[in-house]
Amino acid sequence: MSVIYDLIRHAQLRHRAFTEVVDVLDETKFHFSAKDNLCAVGFQARAGSAVLDGYRPPFDATPVSRLRRAGGQLIGKTTMDEFGFGTFSTNSAHGVPLNPFDVERSCGGSSGGAGAAACLIPGHIALGVSTGGSISGPASFCGVVGLTPTYGRVSRYGLIDYGNSLDKVGLLARSASLVARHFRTIAGPDPKDPTSCAQPALPEKGDMPRSLAVPKEALQNLDPSVHDAFQAALLKFKDMGTEVHEVSMPSLRFALPAYYILATSEASTNLARYCGMRFGRREEELNQHFNDFFTGVRSEGFGDEAKRRILLGTFCRMVGFRSRYYLKSLAVRQLLIEEYRQVFRDHDAVVTPTMPFVAPLFEEIGRMKPLEMYGADVLTVPPNLTGMPHISVPCAYVHGMPVGMQMVADHWKELDLLEAASAWEKAFDYRFPEVAP
Amino acid sequence: MKIGLEMHFQLPTRSKLFCSCPTTSAEPNHNVCPVCLGYPGSRPSLNRKALEAGLAIARFLDCTIEERVWFSRKTYFYPDLPKNFQITQYESPLGTDGHFDLNGRRIGIWRVHLEEDPGRIKRVGRSGEEIAFVDYNRSGIPLVEIVTAPDLTSPEEAREFIDQLVTELRSLCGLEAQDEQSVRVDANISLGEERVEVKNVQGLRNLERALKFEASRQSKLLAAGKKVVRETRRFDEERKVTSSAREKETEEDYGYIGEPDLGEFRIGEMARNLDLKETPLVRAKRLVSSFGIGEATAKQLVLTSVALTDLFEELCRHVPPERAVSWTTGPISGNWAVLQDPAKWPEIVQIVKDDSDGRINDNEAKRRILSLAGVQQESALEGGDDLSKLISDFVDAHPEVLADYRKNPKAANTVIGHVMKESKGRHSSKEVVEEVRKELEKRV
């Protein structure tokens, strides 16, 4: 077998990046993976949940079919937090992926397997999905480039929903050029996803951002080593001739609660369909009342975090709370879009660290309360809530672990971000772990 | 008595509301796809035809139509609902605040909105050992829901309201023929303070029965000095009674949120640009005002056939309306099966016109209409029916008439007198005179 196949097996067995891989590699094709919430013929699609055990979708997600048509071989499905519910990929029914740099640490989430695969396999392109930071987070912790496109840029047809107004399919790989090449393939309107049909065409080439804005609110509560590494990266950007300005974005602090309200509200309706009928797990006795039947299926099939988010979301939708939480969160989203637009009048991108700390140890994660875990998304949630494209690139290494830097641009300006990432790559050398399978 | 209705009609589209599955009948679970089965990763895209039909209804009912609308998710768990939420419209219906004129009385329309139908559950086997099957062919069929104000005052009126509404909507956007039987209605009825909702009644006859039962139940309670409890009740078709459904849900308990996969639709311009067909009852009103005919006659015409009414209007361009009425409601509608063929219409118009001009008399006109319809009258069979044959036979038998005519055209009167007598008044004198002159001139 080929070296690449050995690396794929290594990523699967040692780092649990994959739930399934192909038996044979087609060497004439480029190789890509898909997060397990993207449907693909020939593979199960379980989205990290036991409730979908055994589900083999009869159709390809549009990003998968587009990459296949462009000459790609889907070599496997990557591990993830159940339905995307998590920041560390620890909420997975099909294996928790282990960080390529240190197996005691998390890959980030929820596209943790995609981050690990992108890091461990040179030339590999991984389809990831972000709702509140699930591409940026793993890209940061695994030391790769992760592009989250504008909401509506890439068809969501065939994506198992978390929060439909927030979900975005994107890419993770070792370099911006690799991401840029395949981004063109998966972008563009698709009649099967009406929300993808309002997008402007991709330009030939992006514009290199000349002025970066750093919101001072984003620099609070950072791990000191991340803070210092980020400041050093900003200096490097200045050396490259890019302007860097501090700005204030006071509404950023509302993003996290608004995001969790909207995402869980939508998720709690999306997950209603998992009831042991038509697809997925069905071990319950059929001869009982429907309410008892589906309650049994869901009690057994869903993990704790899925149950927590269903409860939160159902609560937010209830009469009396709906206007206080759900409708107010919709207003916050608009407010935040306005605030970003204000910044984009004078600047081309907003830049922050991606995560407030480097990939944590699993034992640290075990001690975290749910609210602390949600808090780790504080920097990735704002662009996700506003549907703005963002990219995470490695910007430093602290004690051998990568630190990520996230750049956010205005709607539809993914190529500007890829220009910035390419320029950054010329000034900063990425490191990848030595793999000895 | 106050009655308000929530009616659900299937919109006449070829494909479902959010996918391209056909809406025709089929073996159970044959007209299904990942979208209408709610498979993970599938998502809806709106059927434009269904939107147009819904907007046509909203405009026809004179509703206020917002510039932008969106859809909502109504979440509840039921085996026939593939996603365990229904895509419907909650805050943002297609139309609000319209009305429908029922025999000159204005019935308020609160809202018109689109939604998807769930599947259908079929139970087989003995009670207690039943097996439930679910057929998803119906899942995703487009429905329009129309909600009225509580402006109806009796079960009979409620029934007539739906009957007239269906007539109008059928011609407006082609609702199915059996809609009187298949319409699904939730009815609110109150005789006193509190209202009772009778849910999920199918068909007009059942609706009237359910409302009558409920009206008498409530009036007995009130007469006995008791209170009517505000509740949801179900109608038992077999026993023809309503019984408490013991449901606690109110609309808000469904936890509505916007349907993010469909986004917003700008419908203002689409609604304004729709070309609304003239519906039968609207047309009847116009016939009354344009032609001065009676309302009952106008309704009879439009409810018999659209084409018959078209022919009526065509006749009105040539003859006085009262003549057009007597011909269309008389011999023409009596033989409509044959006469509806538009190829026959120019001849019909000519006959009626000739009759009106006095070129032929009523009997002859009727005979010709019937003959056009393939019906031969007794009187027409005896005595021969051809005017020119009658003339030429007489002239052949009396060659001296032709000789006289050469000298004096008044000789024609002999022929005319004979033919008038023979044809027993089937032909007007004007017509006979013209035909005789023609025949004689030909031979001279």
Side-chain angles (χ1 to χ4, degrees), chain A residues 64-75:
Chain A
V64 170
S65 64
R66 285 186 178 176
L67 285 175
R68 281 179 159 164
R69 264 210 312 277
Q73 182 190 14
L74 177 61
I75 56 107

Side-chain angles (χ1 to χ4, degrees), chain A residues 39 52 55 58-59 151 156-161 164-165 191-195 265-266 269-270 272-275 277-279 290 294 298 317 319 322 326-327, chain B residues 34-35 37-46 73 75 77-79 81-85 90-91 134 136 252-263:
Chain A
C39 293
L52 273 169
Y55 175 56
F59 57 95
Y151 176 80
R156 289 178 296 117
Y157 190 80
L159 165 64
I160 298 177
D161 303 307
N164 316 49
S165 76
K192 289 179 186 164
D193 173 10
T195 61
S265 293
E266 293 180 17
T269 61
N270 286 323
R273 75 188 66 196
Y274 305 108
C275 62
M277 290 179 72
R278 300 176 291 277
F279 44 78
F290 180 61
F294 79 73
R298 293 164 68 84
R317 290 187 287 118
V319 59
R322 199 168 158 273
Y326 176 73
L327 298 179
Chain B
V35 175
L37 286 175
Y39 273 29
S42 69
R43 53 195 81 251
S45 31
L46 180 64
R73 294 177 169 185
T75 307
F77 284 77
Y78 211 69
L81 194 60
K83 301 180 292 295
N84 286 322
F85 63 76
Y90 180 57
E91 298 106 319
V134 192
Y136 293 101
E252 292 86 355
D253 286 340
Y254 290 113
Y256 287 94
I257 61 166
E259 169 52 72
D261 281 340
L262 286 165

Side-chain angles (χ1 to χ4, degrees), chain B residues 59-76:
Chain B
R59 251 193 61 192
F60 169 72
L61 293 171
D62 218 5
C63 289
T64 304
I65 295 173
E66 299 293 331
E67 279 301 306
R68 294 188 300 179
V69 293
W70 63 92
F71 287 82
S72 292
R73 294 177 169 185
K74 175 180 181 173
T75 307
Y76 63 96

